Amino acid sequence: MRSSPSGTGAREITVPTRPENISESTPSRQKQKWRFWSGVCFAIVLLVVFARHFLMLISYAAGSQLHSYVLLVPFVSAYLLYLRRDHLPKSYGTDLPLTIVSLTGGVGLLALTYSLELAGRAPANSDRIVLLTLSFLCCLAAGGFFFFGRAWMRAAAFPLAYLIFMVPMPDAMADALETASKSAAAEVANLLFHLSGTPFLRAGPIFQLPNITIEVAQECSGIRSSWVLFMTSIVASNLFLKTRWRRFALVAFVIPLGILRNGFRILVIGLLCVNIGPQMIHSLIHRRGGPLFFMLSLIPFFLVLWWLRKGDARTRQPK
């Protein structure tokens, strides 16, 4: 502080600032910013390295009725990460053990894919896409652990984990789910035909109705819409429900809901063929009716979500 000498006019008292206090945190901020942009650059380089694979993945998903949802998964994950932006730690670190584990998994899957090709035992195109997509996700996780640390990855766990749906369903898994869904839908349709009073005979997946015989084929399993509904339930439970058991209940509810929807669709098509004519088997409601029945299944889904959310709100109210 400075004071004016006696006899002179009073001067304003000034307190000099200490430059070291301002610049004290500057190196730390610069380091955090450097780590952030280094992580972004790593992700961009990773995308370039896997660019050829992603072109294959996009082409495969766009031409597949089952896996077309894959194209939307990165955007959903990015949106979920954006919603959590205020809860992500601003201080980054490095978790070397998890970085090594993730990177080993990614490089190992990549090496396995190309070693099989060199050995003349190249996996099928769908299996190759599965392996390379898993390899990319492991390498991406390694970059997250290295540049941002365990705390940041824990806070961003759900949006990043949701990227697993980028991996197309393996053929063996799809076949097993389709077979199980087809059988369950046939059982539900059998019950619904009984409840409707429609005379019919059944032999396994074949239903003999008054003027037509219909078979519950693999295409009637509704596996794509059921899988999309399952993915939707995971996002909705995380966004709107706080209690763990309620989240699990919503996701579990989707399984019987999907089976009931498929059985109801078989019932509707069968009744149309009986009451209007067998030509209805070739109608749009059979060939292109999947989205319509999917939308109908959203009605009970959102009712259950509303009921669980209402219970969640009561649980959180102070007593």
Side-chain angles (χ1 to χ4, degrees), residues 227-243:
W227 190 249
V228 172
L229 191 60
F230 174 73
M231 294 168 57
T232 302
S233 70
I234 291 177
V235 174
S237 65
N238 186 267
L239 289 178
F240 302 113
L241 301 174
K242 303 300 180 184
T243 311

Side-chain angles (χ1 to χ4, degrees), residues 65 219 224 265 269 280-295:
Q65 289 187 348
E219 294 79 9
R224 177 180 178 273
R265 183 180 181 185
I269 295 170
M280 293 302 295
I281 198 68
H282 304 295
S283 64
L284 285 177
I285 199 168
H286 180 211
R287 294 185 290 109
R288 303 292 181 184
L292 171 63
F293 289 94
F294 176 79
M295 296 300 293

Side-chain angles (χ1 to χ4, degrees), residues 151-212:
W152 192 95
M153 291 291 286
R154 185 185 298 114
F158 182 77
L160 296 180
Y162 196 78
L163 288 174
I164 194 63
F165 289 111
M166 282 180 59
V167 181
M169 194 183 300
D171 291 340
M173 177 181 174
D175 291 341
L177 289 177
E178 285 179 347
T179 301
S181 180
K182 180 188 73 171
S183 301
E187 294 297 332
V188 172
N190 181 71
L191 175 62
L192 293 178
F193 276 126
H194 274 296
L195 294 176
S196 69
T198 304
F200 71 98
L201 294 174
R202 180 191 175 193
I206 301 175
F207 290 84
Q208 175 66 58
L209 300 173
N211 59 354
I212 191 173

Side-chain angles (χ1 to χ4, degrees), residues 244-259:
R244 183 172 298 178
W245 75 263
R246 288 187 173 91
R247 289 178 174 178
F248 177 79
L250 181 65
V251 175
F253 172 70
V254 165
I255 299 174
L257 177 61
I259 295 172

Side-chain angles (χ1 to χ4, degrees), residues 9 29 100-101 160 162 174 209 279:
R29 291 179 182 177
I100 295 173
V101 170
L160 296 180
Y162 196 78
L209 300 173
Q279 71 276 6

Side-chain angles (χ1 to χ4, degrees), residues 52 109-119 128 132:
R52 183 182 175 186
L109 287 169
L110 190 64
L112 174 64
T113 303
Y114 287 108
S115 63
L116 289 175
E117 292 179 356
L118 292 175
R128 186 175 188 273
L132 290 177

